[in-house]
């Protein structure tokens, strides 16, 4: 007597691979060639891709057993930090230094966006250190859409540490006209974080 035993199909295991992308590649989108067990696959990374996103390529994982289907290749996106930009959803954040006189009198500065585009920013007179200026539609493109987030630029007012004699004299004259308080009082720390 020969005993028959059943043969079961078994799916192949999924293979997980981490794919590092630059900040710009993830935010603006890119096309990459990814090597798989059966060759290479062209992978289109859409604009607005976020850290941790998973892209599944069916049937590119480990082979199945006894005729079972192959597993999937699961690509996990890892977005590297950018030197100047940070991202919150589809909004971008950066900082730009301006001089004390630019902050007081107001000015126009040009910044380079993530996509390399030059963007003119109007800094209003009396701008305080840390103020956020908003530029609509200059952030990260929404995935599969023509809509974009916004760009927020934090103003960093640089107080000069070295002045020539003419600059010192002019500031002394300004201070006499300004007549600052010798005892200015205190500010609530909670108001600084608003």
């Amino acid at each position: 007597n020969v005993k028959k035993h059943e043969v079961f199909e078994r799916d192949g295991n999924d293979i997980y691979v981490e794919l590092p992308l630059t900040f710009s590649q993830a935010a603006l989108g890119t096309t990459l060639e990814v090597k798989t067990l059966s060759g290479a696959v062209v992978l289109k990374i859409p604009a607005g891709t976020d850290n941790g996103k998973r892209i599944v390529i069916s049937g590119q994982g480990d082979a199945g057993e006894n005729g079972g289907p192959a597993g999937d290749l699961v690509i996990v996106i890892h977005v590297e930090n950018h030197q100047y930009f940070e991202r919150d959803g589809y909004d971008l954040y950066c900082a730009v230094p301006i001089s004390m006189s630019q902050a007081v009198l107001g000015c126009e500065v040009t910044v380079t966006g993530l996509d390399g585009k030059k963007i003119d920013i109007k800094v209003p007179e009396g701008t305080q250190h840390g103020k956020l200026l908003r530029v609509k539609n200059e952030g990260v493109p929404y995935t599969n859409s023509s809509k974009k987030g916004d760009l927020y630029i934090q103003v960093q007012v640089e107080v000069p540490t070295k002045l020539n004699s003419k600059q010192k004299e002019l500031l002394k004259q300004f201070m006499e006209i300004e007549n600052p308080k010798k005892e200015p009082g205190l500010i609530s720390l909670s108001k600084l974080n608003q």
Side-chain angles (χ1 to χ4, degrees):
N1 270 349
V2 176
K3 199 174 190 186
K4 286 189 169 184
H5 45 312
E6 295 180 46
V7 177
F8 294 99
E9 288 183 1
R10 198 164 135 207
D11 293 354
N13 290 325
D14 293 341
I15 297 175
Y16 288 82
V17 176
E18 186 175 284
L19 179 63
L21 293 178
T22 66
F23 190 90
S24 297
Q25 285 175 320
L28 303 175
T30 190
T31 302
L32 300 170
E33 187 174 274
V34 177
K35 296 195 185 322
T36 66
L37 295 175
S38 61
V41 174
V42 175
L43 189 61
K44 184 168 174 35
I45 308 291
T49 296
D50 224 342
N51 196 40
K53 178 176 175 57
R54 293 174 180 222
I55 299 171
V56 178
I57 302 175
S58 297
Q60 295 296 321
D62 284 338
E65 293 180 13
N66 301 319
D72 297 332
L73 175 61
V74 181
I75 297 171
V76 182
I77 302 296
H78 171 73
V79 181
E80 298 169 356
N81 290 332
H82 194 277
Q83 183 177 359
Y84 301 113
F85 291 97
E86 290 183 7
R87 182 175 166 188
D88 182 13
Y90 293 100
D91 293 331
L92 283 177
Y93 290 82
C94 67
V96 64
I98 63 171
S99 71
M100 182 179 69
S101 58
Q102 287 175 308
V104 171
L105 300 173
C107 64
E108 191 170 287
V109 295
T110 302
V111 298
T112 303
L114 185 62
D115 58 2
K117 177 180 165 187
K118 300 288 185 190
I119 305 166
D120 292 327
I121 311 295
K122 181 161 179 35
V123 178
E125 67 180 53
T127 294
Q128 299 297 308
H129 178 81
K131 176 155 179 71
L132 276 179
L133 303 175
R134 178 181 175 196
V135 184
K136 290 184 177 184
N137 300 314
E138 291 295 346
V140 175
Y142 280 66
T143 305
N144 302 318
S145 171
S146 60
K147 187 177 175 188
K148 283 181 162 186
D150 297 330
L151 172 63
Y152 290 89
I153 300 165
Q154 186 180 52
V155 175
Q156 298 290 307
V157 179
E158 294 184 332
V159 177
T161 55
K162 294 181 181 176
L163 299 172
N164 63 35
S165 58
K166 184 172 182 176
Q167 290 169 321
K168 282 182 184 177
E169 183 56 39
L170 289 170
L171 278 174
K172 284 179 184 176
Q173 289 175 23
F174 177 76
M175 192 164 75
E176 287 173 14
I177 296 167
E178 183 185 34
N179 194 19
K181 298 176 186 173
K182 184 173 173 152
E183 294 183 31
L186 299 176
I187 298 173
S188 170
L189 290 175
S190 63
K191 288 187 179 183
L192 294 177
N193 297 326
Q194 292 178 353

